[in-house]
C-alpha cells in the first residue's frame, strides 16, 4: 500500500484496516468478499473518492457499476459529501455529478450503445422496449411463424431469449439442444427473427444493451481499445449478482489479458446472491481470481449495521446453506432487541398489526423513512397499501414501474416515442386509434399487411397508404391527420422543451379531451397522472433523455420521499438499511416460495435462504418477522405453516408472540404434533395491545368463506363434523363445532371456551 498521509483525509478516516486497504489499493485487481453490513459499499465509495482526490483518474475515466439507479444516486450524493471543494480544485459536488459512467450495467451499456449503435445495425436514437412491447412483438413473430401462440406462449420464448442474452449468446450461439426448449427446436430461429425485427424497429430490449456491446467489443477491437484506454479504474458493487454477459463485459473492459488496465475492484457477498433466476452466477466470484491474475482478496468481518441479536439471527439462518464460502461477522454495537417473531391470524390482521406497530414507532419519534416492510412477492404489498391508505399512513413503494405502467402513461409515452423516433412501430400501433379516430381493425390490418408486403415500418406503410385509395375515405383522412400531427409535433422538438411538447401532444391528439369526456370514476385520476407525467419530464435535458430514463429506471422514485414508510420486495432491498424492518409472510409456500419448494432442488431453497439473510440483515435496530395462520391465495383460504427459516433462527436471539385469540395458541400446540416448527411458539406473551387486535379480527365470516372453498393443507377436511355437531376432544372435553377451516375446527367447548383444533383430535360425541 502506498504510504498514506497523516492524518488521513476525511474520506478515509474511520475506515478499518481492511476497508482502508480496499479503498487505497488502486493498482491491480481487488476482490472484497464480505458479509452484509460490513461496509463494502462504504469502502467502495471511499475508493472512488480516493481515486478522484489523488487524480488517479478523472470522473469520465472511472466506470462504476451499482445495482440500482437509486444506489448510483446515493453514491453520487455520498461522494459529493466526502470530497469537498479542496479535493476537486474548487469543482466540488458538480465534479462528482459529472461522473458519466456511474450507474447500473443497463444504464451504462445503454449510453455506450448510443455511440456505437450503427455497428449493430441500429441508429443512435433507438428505442428501449419494455416487457409489454417485447411480448407483443414476440407474439406476432410466433403467429407469423405459423405456430399456435396458446401452445407456444410469447412469455416462454421471452424467458428463453432473456436467458440466452444473459449468457451473452446471440442466435447463432444458442446451444443446439436448448433450441428445443421451444416449438420443437425452433427456439434459436425465432430468436433470430426477433433480433432482425428489433433491428427494423430500431429498438433494443434490456438484454440487448449488454449483448450488443459485447458483440461490438468482440468484433471491433479498436472500439474496445478506446474504452479500455478510457477506463483507468473500474468499480463494481453487488458483484455476486453479475450474470455471464455482465462478467464478460467487465472482463473485456478491465482484464489485462484482453488489453484492459487491470485496475478493478469488485465487492460482494456470496450469501447475498439472489438473482440466479435472472442469470446471476455466484461462480463469478471464484472466477475472478483466475481471470484477474494477482488479484488481492480482502475480507471484512466487522459489521457496523446491525445489533448482535439481528446479526446472530441472520447468521443462524444462513448457516443452513451448504454451498457457501462461510464467514464470521462481529459487531461492537450494543446487544439491542431480539428478533421478534409474531404469529397472526391472517393477511389483513398482519397488515393491521404492522400498521399499528409503525404508528407506535412514529409516536416514539422514529423517522418514517427508517421503517421498511420487505415482502417476498410483490403482490403482498397490496394488503399493506390498503391498510395504510385506510389509516392515512404515508408510504411509498420502491421497485417496479407502477407509475409508468399505467395505461394512460403508457399511451402518452407511446406518443412521445413516435415523435422522438419515427420508426417506432410498436408505439404507433398503440396510439394509432387511441383516442378513437375511426380507424377500425380492418384498416389497421391493411396498414400492417402493407408494411409486411413492402418491408417498410408501420408508420411508413401508413404514410404510403394515405396516398392511395386502398383505405376507406374516412380512415384515410384520419390516418393522414394523425401523421401530419406527428410531423408537426416532431418539428417542435427543438423549439419547445419536452414538458411543453408533451402537454401540446396530449391536448392536440385529443387524448385529454377523451379523458375529460369519460365519466368513469378513474378518469379524473388518469388526468392527474398525466399532469404528473408532464411534471416529471421537466428535469431532463431533452425528450430522448427522459424516454431513456423511463425505460431504465427501476425505481418508482418521484422525488417526494420525505416521511414515508417504505414497502418493497426483498429483492429490491439489497444494499439498503433501515432502523426497523418488518418481514411479513414467512410461511412455507410463500417464503420459501412454492416454486422453490416445487423445484425441490437444494439450489432454489438455498437462494430463498439467502433472500431471508438479505431481509434480516437490512435491519439496523429491530427486525420483526410475521407469519399468518391463514392466507388467501388465488382467492382461496389456505392454512399456512411457519417458514422453515423461522425455525432456523437461534432461540437465544428471538422472541415469539402470538395474537391468535384464545384457543388459537392451543391450536398451535395441537398442530405441534405434526408441525416440526411449532416449538417456536416458545412464549405466548400477549401484550395488552394484542387483545385488542385479536378482538378486532372478525373470525366467523372468514371461516364460512373458508369452508366454501374447502382448501386444506396437510390433510383433507372431515365431512362428519358439520357445523353444529357435538364433539369430544381429549383435552378440552365436549363442545359444539362453530366453524371449519380445512382440517381445523373452531369449537365452542362447554368448559374451555372457543378454540381452534385439528379435526383429527376430536371425535363425534
Ligand atoms: P450490504 O452487504 O448490505 O450491501 P455493505 O457491506 O455494503 O452491506 P455498507 O452499506 O457499506 O455495508 O455499510 C453498512 C453500514 O455500516 C452503513 O451505515 C455504513 O455507513 C456503516 N459503516 C461502514 N463502515 C463503517 C466504519 N468503518 N465505521 C463506521 N460505520 C461504518
Ligand atoms: Mg452494499
Amino acid at each position: 500500500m502506498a504510504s498514506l498521509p497523516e492524518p488521513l483525509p476525511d474520506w478515509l478516516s474511520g475506515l478499518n484496516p481492511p476497508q482502508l486497504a480496499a479503498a487505497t489499493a488502486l493498482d491491480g485487481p481487488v476482490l472484497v468478499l464480505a458479509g452484509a453490513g460490513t461496509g463494502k459499499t462504504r469502502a467502495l465509495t471511499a475508493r472512488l473518492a480516493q481515486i478522484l482526490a489523488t487524480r488517479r483518474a478523472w470522473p469520465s475515466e472511472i466506470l462504476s457499476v451499482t445495482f440500482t439507479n437509486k444506489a448510483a444516486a446515493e453514491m453520487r450524493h455520498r461522494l459529493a459529501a466526502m470530497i469537498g471543494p479542496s479535493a476537486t480544485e474548487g469543482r466540488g459536488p458538480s465534479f462528482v455529478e459529472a461522473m458519466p459512467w456511474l450507474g447500473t450495467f443497463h444504464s451504462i451499456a445503454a449510453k455506450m450503445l448510443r455511440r456505437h449503435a450503427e455497428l449493430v445495425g441500429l441508429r443512435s436514437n433507438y428505442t428501449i422496449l419494455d416487457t409489454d412491447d417485447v411480448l407483443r412483438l414476440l407474439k406476432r413473430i410466433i403467429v407469423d411463424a405459423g405456430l399456435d401462440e396458446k401452445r407456444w406462449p410469447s412469455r416462454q420464448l421471452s424467458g428463453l431469449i432473456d436467458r440466452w442474452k444473459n449468457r451473452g449468446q446471440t442466435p447463432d450461439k444458442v446451444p443446439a439442444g436448448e433450441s428445443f426448449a421451444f416449438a420443437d427446436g425452433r427456439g434459436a430461429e425465432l430468436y433470430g427473427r426477433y433480433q432482425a425485427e428489433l433491428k427494423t424497429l430500431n429498438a433494443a430490449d434490456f438484454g440487448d444493451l449488454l449483448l450488443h456491446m459485447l458483440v461490438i467489443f468482440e468484433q471491433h477491437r479498436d472500439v474496445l481499445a478506446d474504452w479500455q484506454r478510457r477506463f483507468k479504474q473500474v468499480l463494481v458493487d453487488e458483484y455476486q449478482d453479475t450474470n455471464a454477459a455482465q462478467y464478460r463485459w467487465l472482463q473485456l473492459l478491465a482484464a489485462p489479458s484482453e488489453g484492459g488496465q487491470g485496475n478493478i475492484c469488485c465487492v460482494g457477498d456470496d450469501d447475498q446472491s439472489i438473482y440466479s433466476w435472472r442469470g446471476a452466477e455466484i461462480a463469478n466470484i471464484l472466477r475472478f481470481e483466475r481471470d484477474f491474475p494477482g488479484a488481492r482478496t480482502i475480507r471484512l468481518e466487522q459489521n457496523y449495521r446491525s445489533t448482535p441479536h439481528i446479526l446472530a439471527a441472520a447468521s443462524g439462518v444462513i448457516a443452513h446453506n451448504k454451498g457457501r464460502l462461510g464467514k464470521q461477522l462481529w459487531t461492537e454495537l450494543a446487544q439491542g432487541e431480539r428478533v421478534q417473531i409474531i404469529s397472526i391470524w391472517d393477511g389483513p390482521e398482519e397488515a393491521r398489526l404492522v400498521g399499528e406497530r409503525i404508528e407506535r414507532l412514529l409516536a416514539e419519534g422514529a423517522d418514517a423513512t427508517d421503517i421498511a416492510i420487505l415482502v417476498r412477492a410483490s403482490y403482498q404489498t397490496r394488503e399493506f397499501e390498503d391498510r395504510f391508505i385506510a389509516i392515512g399512513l404515508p408510504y411509498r413503494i420502491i421497485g417496479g414501474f407502477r407509475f409508468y405502467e399505467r395505461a394512460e402513461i403508457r399511451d402518452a409515452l407511446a406518443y412521445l416515442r413516435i415523435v422522438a423516433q419515427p420508426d417506432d412501430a410498436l408505439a404507433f400501433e398503440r396510439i394509432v386509434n387511441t383516442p378513437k379516430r375511426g380507424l377500425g381493425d380492418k384498416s389497421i390490418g391493411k396498414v400492417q399487411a402493407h408494411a409486411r408486403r413492402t418491408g417498410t415500418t408501420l408508420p411508413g406503410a401508413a404514410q404510403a397508404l394515405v396516398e392511395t385509395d386502398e383505405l376507406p375515405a374516412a380512415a384515410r383522412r384520419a390516418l393522414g391527420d394523425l401523421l401530419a400531427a406527428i410531423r408537426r409535433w416532431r418539428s417542435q422538438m427543438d423549439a419547445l422543451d419536452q414538458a411543453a411538447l408533451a402537454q401540446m401532444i396530449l391536448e392536440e391528439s385529443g387524448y385529454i379531451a377523451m379523458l375529460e369526456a369519460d365519466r368513469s370514476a378513474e378518469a379524473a385520476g388518469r388526468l392527474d397522472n398525466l399532469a404528473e407525467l408532464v411534471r416529471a419530464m421537466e428535469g431532463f435535458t431533452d425528450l430522448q433523455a427522459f424516454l431513456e430514463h423511463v425505460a431504465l429506471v427501476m425505481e418508482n422514485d418521484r422525488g417526494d420521499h420525505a416521511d414515508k414508510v417504505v414497502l418493497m420486495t426483498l429483492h429490491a432491498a439489497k444494499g439498503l438499511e433501515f432502523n426497523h424492518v418488518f418481514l411479513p409472510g414467512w410461511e412455507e409456500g410463500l417464503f420459501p416460495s412454492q416454486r422453490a419448494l416445487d423445484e425441490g432442488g437444494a439450489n432454489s431453497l438455498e437462494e430463498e435462504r439467502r433472500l431471508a439473510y438479505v431481509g434480516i440483515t437490512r435491519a439496523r435496530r429491530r427486525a420483526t418477522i410475521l407469519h399468518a395462520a391463514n392466507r388467501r391465495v388465488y382467492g382461496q383460504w389456505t392454512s399456512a405453516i411457519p417458514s422453515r427459516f423461522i425455525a432456523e433462527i437461534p432461540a437465544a436471539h428471538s422472541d415469539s408472540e402470538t395474537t391468535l385469540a384464545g384457543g388459537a395458541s392451543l391450536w398451535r400446540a395441537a398442530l405441534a404434533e405434526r408441525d416440526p416448527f411449532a416449538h417456536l411458539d416458545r412464549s405466548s406473551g400477549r401484550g395488552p395491545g394484542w387483545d385488542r387486535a385479536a378482538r378486532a379480527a372478525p373470525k366467523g365470516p372468514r371461516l364460512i368463506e373458508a369452508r366454501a372453498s374447502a382448501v386444506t393443507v396437510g390433510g383433507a377436511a372431515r365431512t362428519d363434523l358439520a357445523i353444529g355437531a357435538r364433539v369430544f376432544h381429549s383435552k378440552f372435553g365436549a363442545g359444539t363445532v362453530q366453524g371449519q377451516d380445512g382440517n381445523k375446527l373452531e369449537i365452542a367447548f362447554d368448559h374451555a371456551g372457543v378454540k381452534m383444533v385439528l379435526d383429527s383430535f376430536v371425535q363425534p360425541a
Side-chain angles (χ1 to χ4, degrees), residues 40-41 237-238 305 575:
K40 294 183 296 296
T41 303
D237 199 359
E238 303 284 357
R305 177 182 296 149

Side-chain angles (χ1 to χ4, degrees), residues 39 54 89 129 146 152 159 172 180 295 301 414 513 566 632 644 741:
T54 57
E89 294 172 340
L129 300 186
W152 301 107
D172 54 309
F180 276 89
E301 294 188 335
V566 172
R632 203 181 168 96
R644 69 192 67 199
D741 176 14

Side-chain angles (χ1 to χ4, degrees), residues 14-15 19 35-42 272 304-305 575 577 618:
L15 296 184
Q19 282 181 315
T38 52
K40 294 183 296 296
T41 303
R42 169 139 173 198
Q272 293 185 70
Y304 293 92
R305 177 182 296 149
E577 57 186 21
R618 297 310 93 197

